[in-house]
Amino acid sequence: MSASQTSDVPTLLVKIFGKDRPGITAGLFDTLAAYSVDVVDIEQVVTRGRIVLCALVTEPPSGLEGDLRATVHSWAESMKMQAEIISGLGDNRPRGLGRSLVTVLGHPLTSEATATIAARITKAGGNIDRIFRLAKYPVTAVEFAVSGVETEPLRTALVTDAARFGVDIAVVGAGLYRRAQRLVVMDVDSTLIQDEVIELFAAHAGCEGEVAEVTASAMRGELDFEQSLHARVALLKGLDASVVDKVRSEVRLTPGARTLIRTLKRLGYQVGVVSGGFTQVTDDLKERLGLDFAQANTLEIVDGKLTGRVTGEIVDRAGKARLLRRFAAEAGVPLSQTVAIGDGANDLDMLNAAGLGVAFNAKPVVREAAHTAVNVPFLDTVLYLLGVTREEVEAADTLDVD
């Protein structure tokens, strides 16, 4: 029976609640089957061993409603549960136009923050249709299905105040495209890895402090990236090329990086990196992590020594966005179905070009400009923004892959 056909048909909302155990759902519908009712809608939630099962069904044939009510209550009592039956017309009321998914990450997720978020959604004109927990560790992640307000106004209402709530919030449009996002591209330094690669090289050249100062200014957007890159690389002149292997061994992956990439790959995503760092490190990461794409600057090496110069096209702020588009074209993925992750000012063009731009433990200027921000030190929490649950992450680990 279609939604239009049930719009004015008498219906019964049957609610069962109590201690969960096997057989409750089957038992309820076995009981209802004796009255030849049709199922219009079903919802079931289990929290800490307590079940709430709701079944919206058509009214039974004339004269049988009283018997149905008595039988359901008797069955519920035999199961040591409670039942409530409410008469009405038709299906659930239509949801308002504009549907979004609001993902909230808390570490912890407080009741105060949850109350504030719910109030903001209501004030923006939205209605919370459903709430679902995606994960309980390493952060608490919950997803609100919201209708009645367009995605962009809702994002503006929620994301700008996320830091004040003490949580991270992502707002995306609901629909099949969310599950169809099939390319994730991320920055490397301070995103995929915990380090700034040029600072690792600088430590071997004895100029770590000077390089770090220039790097920080560039990431804050205070210096032109290309100029700062040339200035920093010049300080590495004369280093022996053997330092490359040492730096590779010193690189520390961000917590959750392997889980993020492994899960994305097993779910069918393609994954790439773009970096203002160096191919001497990103090529190694590509091989180690099974990445599909990788592009960075290249340190020039002549006669076994670093020359203090880079070769080829510079990967800067504009270059990262250009590479995102190129990777998407090669992967056959529309730009609207890409995800970009980064932390610095030189990631902004890439974050804004992607369908979903995620600022990961980013500088304030980046957090304010990106679609959403993650401010916990676990890179795999990005999976929750894509609607992937912790259970799916763990299930993906059991899959055999080539």
Side-chain angles (χ1 to χ4, degrees), residues 360-377:
F360 180 73
N361 291 313
K363 284 68 178 175
V365 65
V366 183
R367 289 200 304 268
E368 292 167 8
H371 297 134
T372 189
V374 171
N375 295 298
V376 294

Side-chain angles (χ1 to χ4, degrees), residues 382-393:
V382 172
L383 291 166
Y384 309 141
L385 306 184
L386 307 180
V388 180
T389 68
R390 192 71 205 179
E391 287 79 7
E392 288 172 322
V393 173

Side-chain angles (χ1 to χ4, degrees), residues 66-97:
D67 190 47
L68 180 149
R69 287 174 175 268
T71 302
V72 169
H73 280 285
S74 177
W75 170 81
E77 185 176 347
S78 73
M79 298 292 290
K80 297 183 180 180
M81 305 189 75
Q82 293 178 277
E84 181 180 1
I85 304 175
I86 304 171
S87 299
L89 287 177
D91 200 347
N92 307 306
R93 64 180 176 82
R95 294 178 180 176
L97 296 177

Side-chain angles (χ1 to χ4, degrees), residues 240-294:
D240 193 275
S242 62
V243 78
V244 169
D245 289 333
K246 296 177 182 177
V247 167
R248 286 175 174 172
S249 68
E250 293 166 352
V251 165
R252 300 167 299 162
L253 292 174
T254 297
R258 287 188 183 277
T259 300
L260 171 67
I261 294 170
R262 182 173 63 245
T263 303
L264 290 173
K265 296 290 291 179
R266 290 177 175 177
L267 294 178
Y269 283 66
Q270 296 188 61
V271 185
V273 294
V274 291
S275 177
F278 310 111
T279 56
Q280 282 83 359
V281 170
T282 58
D283 287 351
D284 181 62
L285 290 171
K286 180 182 180 182
E287 183 177 351
R288 285 166 51 196
L289 299 174
L291 302 174
D292 300 284
F293 306 99

Side-chain angles (χ1 to χ4, degrees), residues 158-173:
L158 290 172
V159 174
T160 54
D161 286 335
R164 187 169 61 82
F165 300 160
V167 296
D168 297 325
I169 301 176
V171 182
V172 299

Side-chain angles (χ1 to χ4, degrees), residues 318-384:
K320 288 187 173 185
R322 185 169 57 252
L323 288 164
L324 171 70
R325 294 185 177 93
R326 193 185 84 191
F327 293 167
E330 292 179 10
V333 174
L335 200 59
S336 62
Q337 294 175 4
T338 62
V339 180
I341 311 168
D343 74 298
N346 65 330
D347 297 315
L348 278 173
D349 289 3
M350 176 178 71
L351 297 180
N352 290 328
L356 177 64
V358 181
F360 180 73
N361 291 313
K363 284 68 178 175
V365 65
V366 183
R367 289 200 304 268
E368 292 167 8
H371 297 134
T372 189
V374 171
N375 295 298
V376 294
F378 313 109
L379 193 57
D380 54 336
T381 55
V382 172
L383 291 166
Y384 309 141

